[in-house]
PDB file of all heavy atoms in Angstrom:
ATOM      1  N   TYR F   1      68.367  -5.854 -41.561  1.00 81.00           N
ATOM      2  CA  TYR F   1      68.906  -6.314 -40.286  1.00 81.00           C
ATOM      3  C   TYR F   1      68.368  -5.439 -39.164  1.00 81.00           C
ATOM      4  O   TYR F   1      68.549  -4.226 -39.161  1.00 81.00           O
ATOM      5  CB  TYR F   1      70.437  -6.240 -40.288  1.00 81.00           C
ATOM      6  CG  TYR F   1      71.049  -6.642 -38.958  1.00 81.00           C
ATOM      7  CD1 TYR F   1      71.361  -7.966 -38.700  1.00 81.00           C
ATOM      8  CD2 TYR F   1      71.287  -5.695 -37.965  1.00 81.00           C
ATOM      9  CE1 TYR F   1      71.903  -8.350 -37.485  1.00 81.00           C
ATOM     10  CE2 TYR F   1      71.822  -6.067 -36.739  1.00 81.00           C
ATOM     11  CZ  TYR F   1      72.133  -7.393 -36.507  1.00 81.00           C
ATOM     12  OH  TYR F   1      72.657  -7.768 -35.305  1.00 81.00           O
ATOM     13  N   THR F   2      67.685  -6.044 -38.217  1.00 86.00           N
ATOM     14  CA  THR F   2      67.211  -5.352 -37.018  1.00 86.00           C
ATOM     15  C   THR F   2      67.426  -6.281 -35.834  1.00 86.00           C
ATOM     16  O   THR F   2      67.163  -7.481 -35.927  1.00 86.00           O
ATOM     17  CB  THR F   2      65.718  -4.985 -37.122  1.00 86.00           C
ATOM     18  OG1 THR F   2      65.511  -4.180 -38.271  1.00 86.00           O
ATOM     19  CG2 THR F   2      65.269  -4.213 -35.890  1.00 86.00           C
ATOM     20  N   SER F   3      67.909  -5.730 -34.726  1.00 90.00           N
ATOM     21  CA  SER F   3      68.189  -6.551 -33.558  1.00 90.00           C
ATOM     22  C   SER F   3      67.765  -5.811 -32.296  1.00 90.00           C
ATOM     23  O   SER F   3      67.890  -4.588 -32.212  1.00 90.00           O
ATOM     24  CB  SER F   3      69.684  -6.881 -33.493  1.00 90.00           C
ATOM     25  OG  SER F   3      70.001  -7.627 -32.332  1.00 90.00           O
ATOM     26  N   ARG F   4      67.262  -6.545 -31.329  1.00 93.00           N
ATOM     27  CA  ARG F   4      66.852  -5.982 -30.043  1.00 93.00           C
ATOM     28  C   ARG F   4      67.756  -6.542 -28.957  1.00 93.00           C
ATOM     29  O   ARG F   4      67.931  -7.763 -28.848  1.00 93.00           O
ATOM     30  CB  ARG F   4      65.394  -6.308 -29.753  1.00 93.00           C
ATOM     31  CG  ARG F   4      64.446  -5.741 -30.790  1.00 93.00           C
ATOM     32  CD  ARG F   4      63.042  -6.329 -30.656  1.00 93.00           C
ATOM     33  NE  ARG F   4      62.325  -5.802 -29.509  1.00 93.00           N
ATOM     34  CZ  ARG F   4      61.573  -4.701 -29.545  1.00 93.00           C
ATOM     35  NH1 ARG F   4      61.459  -4.011 -30.665  1.00 93.00           N
ATOM     36  NH2 ARG F   4      60.936  -4.286 -28.462  1.00 93.00           N
ATOM     37  N   ARG F   5      68.340  -5.652 -28.148  1.00 95.00           N
ATOM     38  CA  ARG F   5      69.240  -6.076 -27.083  1.00 95.00           C
ATOM     39  C   ARG F   5      68.774  -5.512 -25.745  1.00 95.00           C
ATOM     40  O   ARG F   5      68.312  -4.372 -25.672  1.00 95.00           O
ATOM     41  CB  ARG F   5      70.677  -5.583 -27.335  1.00 95.00           C
ATOM     42  CG  ARG F   5      71.263  -5.958 -28.693  1.00 95.00           C
ATOM     43  CD  ARG F   5      71.543  -7.422 -28.803  1.00 95.00           C
ATOM     44  NE  ARG F   5      71.976  -7.789 -30.133  1.00 95.00           N
ATOM     45  CZ  ARG F   5      73.248  -7.847 -30.541  1.00 95.00           C
ATOM     46  NH1 ARG F   5      74.221  -7.562 -29.678  1.00 95.00           N
ATOM     47  NH2 ARG F   5      73.542  -8.195 -31.771  1.00 95.00           N
ATOM     48  N   THR F   6      68.910  -6.314 -24.707  1.00 96.00           N
ATOM     49  CA  THR F   6      68.654  -5.812 -23.364  1.00 96.00           C
ATOM     50  C   THR F   6      69.920  -5.135 -22.837  1.00 96.00           C
ATOM     51  O   THR F   6      70.988  -5.229 -23.438  1.00 96.00           O
ATOM     52  CB  THR F   6      68.227  -6.951 -22.419  1.00 96.00           C
ATOM     53  OG1 THR F   6      69.222  -7.989 -22.473  1.00 96.00           O
ATOM     54  CG2 THR F   6      66.884  -7.515 -22.838  1.00 96.00           C
ATOM     55  N   VAL F   7      69.777  -4.462 -21.713  1.00 97.00           N
ATOM     56  CA  VAL F   7      70.878  -3.694 -21.130  1.00 97.00           C
ATOM     57  C   VAL F   7      71.241  -4.285 -19.776  1.00 97.00           C
ATOM     58  O   VAL F   7      70.364  -4.636 -18.982  1.00 97.00           O
ATOM     59  CB  VAL F   7      70.466  -2.210 -20.980  1.00 97.00           C
ATOM     60  CG1 VAL F   7      71.530  -1.415 -20.223  1.00 97.00           C
ATOM     61  CG2 VAL F   7      70.218  -1.591 -22.355  1.00 97.00           C
ATOM     62  N   VAL F   8      72.538  -4.393 -19.509  1.00 97.00           N
ATOM     63  CA  VAL F   8      72.978  -4.952 -18.225  1.00 97.00           C
ATOM     64  C   VAL F   8      73.544  -3.879 -17.305  1.00 97.00           C
ATOM     65  O   VAL F   8      73.584  -4.064 -16.084  1.00 97.00           O
ATOM     66  CB  VAL F   8      74.029  -6.067 -18.434  1.00 97.00           C
ATOM     67  CG1 VAL F   8      73.396  -7.268 -19.122  1.00 97.00           C
ATOM     68  CG2 VAL F   8      75.231  -5.562 -19.233  1.00 97.00           C
ATOM     69  N   THR F   9      73.998  -2.772 -17.871  1.00 97.00           N
ATOM     70  CA  THR F   9      74.582  -1.707 -17.056  1.00 97.00           C
ATOM     71  C   THR F   9      74.169  -0.348 -17.596  1.00 97.00           C
ATOM     72  O   THR F   9      74.202  -0.117 -18.809  1.00 97.00           O
ATOM     73  CB  THR F   9      76.126  -1.776 -17.045  1.00 97.00           C
ATOM     74  OG1 THR F   9      76.547  -3.079 -16.656  1.00 97.00           O
ATOM     75  CG2 THR F   9      76.709  -0.754 -16.087  1.00 97.00           C
ATOM     76  N   SER F  10      73.767   0.538 -16.701  1.00 98.00           N
ATOM     77  CA  SER F  10      73.449   1.919 -17.067  1.00 98.00           C
ATOM     78  C   SER F  10      74.315   2.839 -16.209  1.00 98.00           C
ATOM     79  O   SER F  10      74.255   2.782 -14.985  1.00 98.00           O
ATOM     80  CB  SER F  10      71.963   2.206 -16.820  1.00 98.00           C
ATOM     81  OG  SER F  10      71.678   3.574 -17.058  1.00 98.00           O
ATOM     82  N   ILE F  11      75.127   3.664 -16.876  1.00 98.00           N
ATOM     83  CA  ILE F  11      76.026   4.565 -16.155  1.00 98.00           C
ATOM     84  C   ILE F  11      75.638   6.008 -16.473  1.00 98.00           C
ATOM     85  O   ILE F  11      75.817   6.479 -17.599  1.00 98.00           O
ATOM     86  CB  ILE F  11      77.495   4.327 -16.530  1.00 98.00           C
ATOM     87  CG1 ILE F  11      77.898   2.870 -16.287  1.00 98.00           C
ATOM     88  CG2 ILE F  11      78.395   5.273 -15.734  1.00 98.00           C
ATOM     89  CD1 ILE F  11      79.315   2.545 -16.726  1.00 98.00           C
ATOM     90  N   ILE F  12      75.093   6.692 -15.498  1.00 98.00           N
ATOM     91  CA  ILE F  12      74.749   8.100 -15.643  1.00 98.00           C
ATOM     92  C   ILE F  12      75.910   8.936 -15.110  1.00 98.00           C
ATOM     93  O   ILE F  12      76.509   8.590 -14.087  1.00 98.00           O
ATOM     94  CB  ILE F  12      73.457   8.419 -14.866  1.00 98.00           C
ATOM     95  CG1 ILE F  12      72.275   7.681 -15.502  1.00 98.00           C
ATOM     96  CG2 ILE F  12      73.187   9.920 -14.822  1.00 98.00           C
ATOM     97  CD1 ILE F  12      70.976   7.819 -14.725  1.00 98.00           C
ATOM     98  N   HIS F  13      76.228  10.017 -15.804  1.00 98.00           N
ATOM     99  CA  HIS F  13      77.336  10.848 -15.334  1.00 98.00           C
ATOM    100  C   HIS F  13      77.082  11.279 -13.893  1.00 98.00           C
ATOM    101  O   HIS F  13      75.980  11.740 -13.551  1.00 98.00           O
ATOM    102  CB  HIS F  13      77.498  12.081 -16.228  1.00 98.00           C
ATOM    103  CG  HIS F  13      78.809  12.769 -16.031  1.00 98.00           C
ATOM    104  ND1 HIS F  13      79.038  13.642 -14.994  1.00 98.00           N
ATOM    105  CD2 HIS F  13      79.967  12.696 -16.723  1.00 98.00           C
ATOM    106  CE1 HIS F  13      80.280  14.082 -15.060  1.00 98.00           C
ATOM    107  NE2 HIS F  13      80.868  13.530 -16.106  1.00 98.00           N
ATOM    108  N   PRO F  14      78.075  11.130 -13.021  1.00 97.00           N
ATOM    109  CA  PRO F  14      77.863  11.411 -11.597  1.00 97.00           C
ATOM    110  C   PRO F  14      77.511  12.872 -11.299  1.00 97.00           C
ATOM    111  O   PRO F  14      76.933  13.160 -10.235  1.00 97.00           O
ATOM    112  CB  PRO F  14      79.199  11.025 -10.958  1.00 97.00           C
ATOM    113  CG  PRO F  14      80.198  11.085 -12.081  1.00 97.00           C
ATOM    114  CD  PRO F  14      79.448  10.657 -13.282  1.00 97.00           C
ATOM    115  N   SER F  15      77.824  13.785 -12.208  1.00 98.00           N
ATOM    116  CA  SER F  15      77.528  15.200 -11.977  1.00 98.00           C
ATOM    117  C   SER F  15      76.298  15.679 -12.748  1.00 98.00           C
ATOM    118  O   SER F  15      76.094  16.891 -12.896  1.00 98.00           O
ATOM    119  CB  SER F  15      78.750  16.056 -12.358  1.00 98.00           C
ATOM    120  OG  SER F  15      79.860  15.736 -11.561  1.00 98.00           O
ATOM    121  N   TYR F  16      75.499  14.751 -13.223  1.00 98.00           N
ATOM    122  CA  TYR F  16      74.287  15.133 -13.938  1.00 98.00           C
ATOM    123  C   TYR F  16      73.344  15.905 -13.013  1.00 98.00           C
ATOM    124  O   TYR F  16      73.049  15.475 -11.900  1.00 98.00           O
ATOM    125  CB  TYR F  16      73.584  13.893 -14.479  1.00 98.00           C
ATOM    126  CG  TYR F  16      72.199  14.155 -15.023  1.00 98.00           C
ATOM    127  CD1 TYR F  16      71.988  15.108 -16.017  1.00 98.00           C
ATOM    128  CD2 TYR F  16      71.091  13.446 -14.546  1.00 98.00           C
ATOM    129  CE1 TYR F  16      70.717  15.363 -16.510  1.00 98.00           C
ATOM    130  CE2 TYR F  16      69.826  13.683 -15.034  1.00 98.00           C
ATOM    131  CZ  TYR F  16      69.643  14.643 -16.019  1.00 98.00           C
ATOM    132  OH  TYR F  16      68.375  14.892 -16.508  1.00 98.00           O
ATOM    133  N   ASP F  17      72.878  17.057 -13.486  1.00 97.00           N
ATOM    134  CA  ASP F  17      71.989  17.917 -12.717  1.00 97.00           C
ATOM    135  C   ASP F  17      70.600  17.895 -13.366  1.00 97.00           C
ATOM    136  O   ASP F  17      70.429  18.356 -14.490  1.00 97.00           O
ATOM    137  CB  ASP F  17      72.536  19.346 -12.692  1.00 97.00           C
ATOM    138  CG  ASP F  17      71.802  20.252 -11.716  1.00 97.00           C
ATOM    139  OD1 ASP F  17      70.555  20.171 -11.641  1.00 97.00           O
ATOM    140  OD2 ASP F  17      72.460  21.066 -11.040  1.00 97.00           O
ATOM    141  N   THR F  18      69.627  17.368 -12.659  1.00 96.00           N
ATOM    142  CA  THR F  18      68.286  17.222 -13.232  1.00 96.00           C
ATOM    143  C   THR F  18      67.589  18.561 -13.456  1.00 96.00           C
ATOM    144  O   THR F  18      66.672  18.661 -14.269  1.00 96.00           O
ATOM    145  CB  THR F  18      67.399  16.358 -12.316  1.00 96.00           C
ATOM    146  OG1 THR F  18      67.330  16.962 -11.011  1.00 96.00           O
ATOM    147  CG2 THR F  18      67.967  14.952 -12.190  1.00 96.00           C
ATOM    148  N   LYS F  19      68.014  19.606 -12.743  1.00 96.00           N
ATOM    149  CA  LYS F  19      67.372  20.908 -12.883  1.00 96.00           C
ATOM    150  C   LYS F  19      67.929  21.699 -14.055  1.00 96.00           C
ATOM    151  O   LYS F  19      67.182  22.349 -14.797  1.00 96.00           O
ATOM    152  CB  LYS F  19      67.533  21.711 -11.595  1.00 96.00           C
ATOM    153  CG  LYS F  19      66.793  21.110 -10.405  1.00 96.00           C
ATOM    154  CD  LYS F  19      66.975  21.970  -9.162  1.00 96.00           C
ATOM    155  CE  LYS F  19      66.216  21.377  -7.980  1.00 96.00           C
ATOM    156  NZ  LYS F  19      66.396  22.212  -6.744  1.00 96.00           N
ATOM    157  N   THR F  20      69.239  21.640 -14.251  1.00 96.00           N
ATOM    158  CA  THR F  20      69.879  22.428 -15.308  1.00 96.00           C
ATOM    159  C   THR F  20      70.212  21.611 -16.543  1.00 96.00           C
ATOM    160  O   THR F  20      70.571  22.165 -17.583  1.00 96.00           O
ATOM    161  CB  THR F  20      71.169  23.060 -14.784  1.00 96.00           C
ATOM    162  OG1 THR F  20      72.113  22.014 -14.468  1.00 96.00           O
ATOM    163  CG2 THR F  20      70.903  23.901 -13.537  1.00 96.00           C
ATOM    164  N   GLN F  21      70.141  20.281 -16.425  1.00 97.00           N
ATOM    165  CA  GLN F  21      70.520  19.341 -17.486  1.00 97.00           C
ATOM    166  C   GLN F  21      72.005  19.420 -17.831  1.00 97.00           C
ATOM    167  O   GLN F  21      72.437  18.993 -18.905  1.00 97.00           O
ATOM    168  CB  GLN F  21      69.679  19.569 -18.762  1.00 97.00           C
ATOM    169  CG  GLN F  21      68.199  19.324 -18.569  1.00 97.00           C
ATOM    170  CD  GLN F  21      67.895  17.926 -18.048  1.00 97.00           C
ATOM    171  OE1 GLN F  21      68.400  16.937 -18.569  1.00 97.00           O
ATOM    172  NE2 GLN F  21      67.080  17.846 -17.014  1.00 97.00           N
ATOM    173  N   ASN F  22      72.800  19.952 -16.911  1.00 98.00           N
ATOM    174  CA  ASN F  22      74.243  19.929 -17.107  1.00 98.00           C
ATOM    175  C   ASN F  22      74.742  18.491 -16.952  1.00 98.00           C
ATOM    176  O   ASN F  22      74.254  17.747 -16.109  1.00 98.00           O
ATOM    177  CB  ASN F  22      74.915  20.831 -16.075  1.00 98.00           C
ATOM    178  CG  ASN F  22      76.357  21.167 -16.435  1.00 98.00           C
ATOM    179  OD1 ASN F  22      76.721  21.201 -17.612  1.00 98.00           O
ATOM    180  ND2 ASN F  22      77.171  21.418 -15.434  1.00 98.00           N
ATOM    181  N   ASN F  23      75.703  18.098 -17.790  1.00 98.00           N
ATOM    182  CA  ASN F  23      76.249  16.733 -17.790  1.00 98.00           C
ATOM    183  C   ASN F  23      75.183  15.694 -18.130  1.00 98.00           C
ATOM    184  O   ASN F  23      75.129  14.607 -17.532  1.00 98.00           O
ATOM    185  CB  ASN F  23      76.897  16.395 -16.442  1.00 98.00           C
ATOM    186  CG  ASN F  23      78.043  17.316 -16.095  1.00 98.00           C
ATOM    187  OD1 ASN F  23      79.030  17.401 -16.831  1.00 98.00           O
ATOM    188  ND2 ASN F  23      77.901  18.049 -14.998  1.00 98.00           N
ATOM    189  N   ASP F  24      74.337  16.018 -19.091  1.00 98.00           N
ATOM    190  CA  ASP F  24      73.246  15.121 -19.496  1.00 98.00           C
ATOM    191  C   ASP F  24      73.770  14.053 -20.453  1.00 98.00           C
ATOM    192  O   ASP F  24      73.565  14.108 -21.663  1.00 98.00           O
ATOM    193  CB  ASP F  24      72.140  15.942 -20.163  1.00 98.00           C
ATOM    194  CG  ASP F  24      70.883  15.128 -20.448  1.00 98.00           C
ATOM    195  OD1 ASP F  24      70.763  14.023 -19.885  1.00 98.00           O
ATOM    196  OD2 ASP F  24      70.039  15.607 -21.227  1.00 98.00           O
ATOM    197  N   VAL F  25      74.448  13.071 -19.893  1.00 98.00           N
ATOM    198  CA  VAL F  25      75.061  12.017 -20.707  1.00 98.00           C
ATOM    199  C   VAL F  25      75.072  10.718 -19.915  1.00 98.00           C
ATOM    200  O   VAL F  25      75.192  10.711 -18.685  1.00 98.00           O
ATOM    201  CB  VAL F  25      76.497  12.423 -21.131  1.00 98.00           C
ATOM    202  CG1 VAL F  25      77.405  12.607 -19.915  1.00 98.00           C
ATOM    203  CG2 VAL F  25      77.094  11.437 -22.111  1.00 98.00           C
ATOM    204  N   ALA F  26      74.909   9.606 -20.631  1.00 98.00           N
ATOM    205  CA  ALA F  26      74.895   8.291 -19.986  1.00 98.00           C
ATOM    206  C   ALA F  26      75.403   7.238 -20.958  1.00 98.00           C
ATOM    207  O   ALA F  26      75.417   7.442 -22.186  1.00 98.00           O
ATOM    208  CB  ALA F  26      73.476   7.936 -19.522  1.00 98.00           C
ATOM    209  N   LEU F  27      75.802   6.109 -20.408  1.00 98.00           N
ATOM    210  CA  LEU F  27      76.280   4.969 -21.198  1.00 98.00           C
ATOM    211  C   LEU F  27      75.456   3.741 -20.839  1.00 98.00           C
ATOM    212  O   LEU F  27      75.145   3.515 -19.669  1.00 98.00           O
ATOM    213  CB  LEU F  27      77.757   4.698 -20.908  1.00 98.00           C
ATOM    214  CG  LEU F  27      78.755   5.751 -21.378  1.00 98.00           C
ATOM    215  CD1 LEU F  27      80.106   5.528 -20.710  1.00 98.00           C
ATOM    216  CD2 LEU F  27      78.885   5.710 -22.897  1.00 98.00           C
ATOM    217  N   LEU F  28      75.113   2.944 -21.850  1.00 98.00           N
ATOM    218  CA  LEU F  28      74.385   1.700 -21.646  1.00 98.00           C
ATOM    219  C   LEU F  28      75.217   0.542 -22.175  1.00 98.00           C
ATOM    220  O   LEU F  28      75.682   0.571 -23.319  1.00 98.00           O
ATOM    221  CB  LEU F  28      73.041   1.738 -22.387  1.00 98.00           C
ATOM    222  CG  LEU F  28      72.054   2.834 -21.985  1.00 98.00           C
ATOM    223  CD1 LEU F  28      70.824   2.773 -22.877  1.00 98.00           C
ATOM    224  CD2 LEU F  28      71.672   2.719 -20.517  1.00 98.00           C
TER     225      LEU F  28
END
């Protein structure tokens, strides 16, 4: 069983810091 799904919503943590990678979490 293998399935491919597209994504309708991407939620990145609002406090994600690109320099320190603090709060490096997201939901799809």
Side-chain angles (χ1 to χ4, degrees):
Y1 177 89
T2 303
S3 177
R4 299 167 74 89
R5 306 290 174 92
T6 54
V7 173
V8 293
T9 307
S10 175
I11 304 176
I12 294 174
H13 195 279
S15 298
Y16 170 55
D17 190 319
T18 58
K19 294 181 179 180
T20 65
Q21 297 304 312
N22 196 28
N23 300 300
D24 188 15
V25 62
L27 292 165
L28 300 176

